[in-house]
Amino acid sequence: MRVDARAGTRAEPAMLANIPRLMRAYYTTQPDPARREQKVAFGTSGHRGSAFVGSFNEDHILAITQALCAYRRRQAIDGPLFLGIDTHALSESAFASALEVLAAHGIDVMIDDRAGYTPTPVISHAILTYNRGRTSGLADGIVVTPSHNPPEDGGFKYNPPHGGPADTHVTGWIQDEANALLAGGLADVERIPFERARRATTTHGFDYMGAYITDLGSVVDLEVVRGADVSLAVDPLGGAGVHYWPMIADRYRLPMTVVSDVVDRTFAFMTLDWDGKIRIDCSSPYAMRRLIGLKDRFDVAWACDTDHDRHGIVARSVGLMNPNHYLAVAISYLFSHRSAWPRGAGIGKTLVSSSMIDRVAAQLGRPLLEVPVGFKWFVDGLIAASLGFGGEESAGASFLRRDGTVWTTDKDGIVLGLLAAEMTAVTGRDPGELYRELTAEFGEYAYERIDAPATPEQKARLARLSPEQIAASELAGEPITALLTTAPGNNAPIGGLKVVAPSGWFAARPSGTEDVYKLYAESFKGTDHLHRIQEEAHAIFESVLDVGPIPPRAGGEVP
């Protein structure tokens, strides 16, 4: 798990996904419902897998969609369903499979009127816009995307009427129902042929691009960007927003260059990530080499992952920003420049995000809500405007409209990129320079996330860890002040463990989609102290979980 020697370089042709074989596998491979790895499994962002290994095939999508139809009936959700896809190869086929089931059930389905791609935040925006002021006939949505995962992967996630990611009690019911359908050979799945489904009176074209783009000025001050002497760039990374950015630039007359409009199912234009895989991760310094190489040409630039719910910010002053740094800057700027926001609106963060955010929140005098990983925890707060901002260390965030009302309840990489343009135009300093101002006030913070190998059994033990299993009383020479298995903000289980000391902390949780566990660590004293925290953290997990040696710098450079 060391950094692959090819990281940051383009893939050799032999490494690229064989898309025709992938499509064949989607339709011809039948998953075995008796095998755990081939069942429907909803993580924090829906069901994900690959057709090559029997974890994302047509049977899965038919079963999940049938289960969703049953869930909608149980919950009396009878408004339209907004359906969007990203540019992964499996997304088009999964879209067709899902539409066959949805049309057979007579559900009004809203699909892109340009037969294009639809970012995750655009689906959330459409659901909330439709449901505003309604108490019945509510809408919900599906996004077909595996997010930043490799080209051979597929993903399928459900957003209920609140517009954000479904909670575990929802996904758990859908998952169980779908697996029962798989076990029954799909005998109870209702579907009609795709061409009939596409022409059905219940299938409607919807102007996703126009509705979302026209409304962008209500959340980001694009007039000030248009009038400023700034140079901007965006790299869609071949994702769902690829056709949105030129329209945004034209609609608001922004000084913005779209780096590329290429859509390639193999994502051959990407540079390899830290492990030698193609991964459309806009926060990875390896995957983002193309845009980083252009940093001196623009005041600020950004990219989004494939479904555009995550952001990666490249500032002229520092290059690619650590996501935690940008979250802290965005919070500091927004709460100082949104006078119409409720005075009591707080700040939401996941408990594995940087403690710099805690310092910024205290300075602003705003309440801080610290929750487990998963954007679903911010949904209610954004709807009620008790949160002005919600963000995750994995470069996902959203915030309120300028008037203090809800914008999206799912992550929105588009507005986080445009916010970087706004703050640069307003302050005359790019986000990297603004973060340096925060460190001058609060000190330098060293933060890193490492992904380390773990078996399914080790991951399960990590998720069940209790404080009583930890024998250590000190962390990097300081007394341990807290051993957390629930989040301070809502007392919800974190599915892992966080250990806190006066000058730093570490946390670990299992990945929901890969055989790794994620080790997060932060020091308020610098890089050497951070490394000591990491070493002691891994020693703890080595004894409790019997995991292997820690992979040095697996997740990228220490900021």
Side-chain angles (χ1 to χ4, degrees), residues 360-433:
V360 171
Q363 180 200 55
L364 292 166
R366 296 283 182 160
L368 182 71
L369 179 72
E370 193 171 6
V371 299
V373 171
F375 206 78
K376 63 185 180 182
W377 302 110
F378 304 130
V379 168
D380 291 342
L382 290 169
I383 289 175
S386 60
L387 290 178
F389 183 97
E392 300 184 303
E393 62 79 31
S394 55
S398 191
F399 51 91
L400 298 179
R401 295 171 185 263
R402 293 160 67 188
D403 67 1
T405 59
V406 64
W407 167 249
T408 60
T409 46
D410 213 329
K411 301 183 290 288
D412 192 334
I414 296 173
V415 299
L416 266 296
L418 292 171
L419 179 65
E422 178 192 327
M423 67 174 70
T424 302
V426 170
T427 68
R429 298 183 297 283
D430 71 39
E433 294 170 313

Side-chain angles (χ1 to χ4, degrees), residues 242-264:
V242 65
H243 299 136
Y244 280 66
W245 292 108
M247 184 180 284
I248 292 170
D250 182 66
R251 168 71 173 76
Y252 293 98
R253 303 196 302 279
L254 302 181
M256 182 170 70
T257 298
V258 181
V259 170
S260 173
D261 62 359
V262 171
V263 175
D264 176 359

Side-chain angles (χ1 to χ4, degrees), residues 3 26 86 91 105 127 141 145 149 155 219 239 266 278 282-283 296 308 328 338 373 398 404 482-483 546 557:
V3 174
Y26 174 80
D86 75 358
S91 295
H105 285 266
I127 294 169
T145 174
N149 279 22
V219 66
T266 68
I278 294 177
C282 52
S283 62
D296 293 331
H308 272 49
R338 294 295 190 266
V373 171
S398 191
L483 292 167
D546 190 29
E557 297 296 327

Side-chain angles (χ1 to χ4, degrees), residues 43 52 66 74 139 187 207 242 253 261 318 320 350 450 464 494:
F52 283 141
Q66 177 71 30
R74 286 168 61 94
D207 184 12
V242 65
R253 303 196 302 279
D261 62 359
V318 297
L320 179 65
T350 53
I450 294 176
R464 296 192 302 266
I494 65 177

